[in-house]
Amino acid sequence: MHNATLIFIFCAIVVAGCNHVSTSKIIYGEGQVSTEGLSVTNGNVILKEGQPGLAFAFATKPSQSKEFTYILVFNHDFPNGGVGTQSSLNGLMASTSHTITAFGANCKVEYRVGMNADRKAVDTEAILISDAPFDPSKGKLFLVDMKASPPTVTQLNLELPSQIPDLTETDAMERFAHDTLDGLRKTDKTVDEFCRRIETKGS
């Protein structure tokens, strides 16, 4: 029977001063919420001084492999600001989000997914950035310029890694994130130029 409603929320605030911060970086590994046929993760945040910020999450849909919900590449003013992250399940619906705070601005990115009544397939899937809808079929990589007022978003449709390792350990997550971004930069000039501007200006 599946008529009971499950509500579960996992959240974390990743800011300067928490125990995942060194003098030069923040690294936060993922948490996960799951129910029969569906799971979503949150966390997965890397902020390093003078380098692009990274935040990403995953979903596992009924009878499918783990996949990206989105990847965010953004500029930031570390050690100021930070990233809040949350995932939740409510009956047949699940969501995960990251809220970036940098240069005095905020940008919330949320992924929502819903199963059909028999929990065998996905019924709905959406990405919202600052409440504006983005079609996941048009790409799950987003370059977020937090210095713009309001922050601007560039959506790119690039091939993302399909083999996702266990990322509950921060070392594994950092290696995976580095390799993923490095591959995207080699693949696409827009990504590389965006990252180079951040590295050159030190945020």
Side-chain angles (χ1 to χ4, degrees):
M1 301 234 352
H2 302 299
N3 56 353
T5 298
L6 172 66
I7 301 176
F8 189 83
I9 297 175
F10 183 96
C11 62
I13 305 299
V14 185
V15 295
C18 77
N19 59 8
H20 299 280
V21 180
S22 74
T23 57
S24 62
K25 65 184 179 181
I26 295 174
I27 300 176
Y28 196 88
E30 72 184 16
Q32 176 175 290
V33 294
S34 60
T35 186
E36 182 180 346
L38 181 66
S39 68
V40 293
T41 73
N42 66 352
N44 295 321
V45 175
I46 297 180
L47 293 178
K48 292 185 178 181
E49 192 169 2
Q51 296 186 25
L54 280 171
F56 51 93
F58 303 100
T60 305
K61 303 170 185 174
S63 303
Q64 296 186 31
S65 300
K66 192 175 185 180
E67 65 183 63
F68 279 96
T69 60
Y70 51 72
I71 301 179
L72 313 177
V73 183
F74 54 95
N75 50 1
H76 56 88
D77 53 352
F78 181 84
N80 299 312
V83 180
T85 175
Q86 177 174 297
S87 59
S88 66
L89 283 168
N90 186 347
L92 299 173
M93 298 293 299
S95 68
T96 186
S97 68
H98 287 80
T99 301
I100 303 165
T101 301
F103 306 108
N106 294 306
C107 181
K108 181 177 181 179
V109 180
E110 182 177 14
Y111 169 85
R112 298 175 182 173
V113 60
M115 294 185 292
N116 60 12
D118 63 9
R119 297 175 181 258
K120 292 183 179 180
V122 165
D123 233 4
T124 61
E125 186 177 27
I127 295 174
L128 299 174
I129 302 181
S130 297
D131 295 323
F134 286 79
D135 184 350
S137 69
K138 295 182 178 180
K140 294 184 176 181
L141 173 63
F142 299 92
L143 310 181
V144 184
D145 184 357
M146 293 299 297
K147 280 188 173 180
S149 183
T152 58
V153 177
T154 302
Q155 182 179 21
L156 297 173
N157 193 4
L158 302 180
E159 184 175 355
L160 303 178
S162 58
Q163 300 297 315
I164 313 298
D166 176 41
L167 299 177
T168 52
E169 297 296 328
T170 55
D171 287 347
M173 191 273 286
E174 185 176 13
R175 286 194 302 272
F176 177 77
H178 176 272
D179 292 345
T180 298
L181 182 59
D182 188 54
L184 292 170
R185 293 181 67 168
K186 290 176 180 178
T187 299
D188 189 88
K189 183 179 179 180
T190 301
V191 179
D192 188 52
E193 289 179 348
F194 183 78
C195 292
R196 286 181 183 276
R197 287 198 300 272
I198 295 170
E199 292 163 343
T200 300
K201 296 177 182 179
S203 298

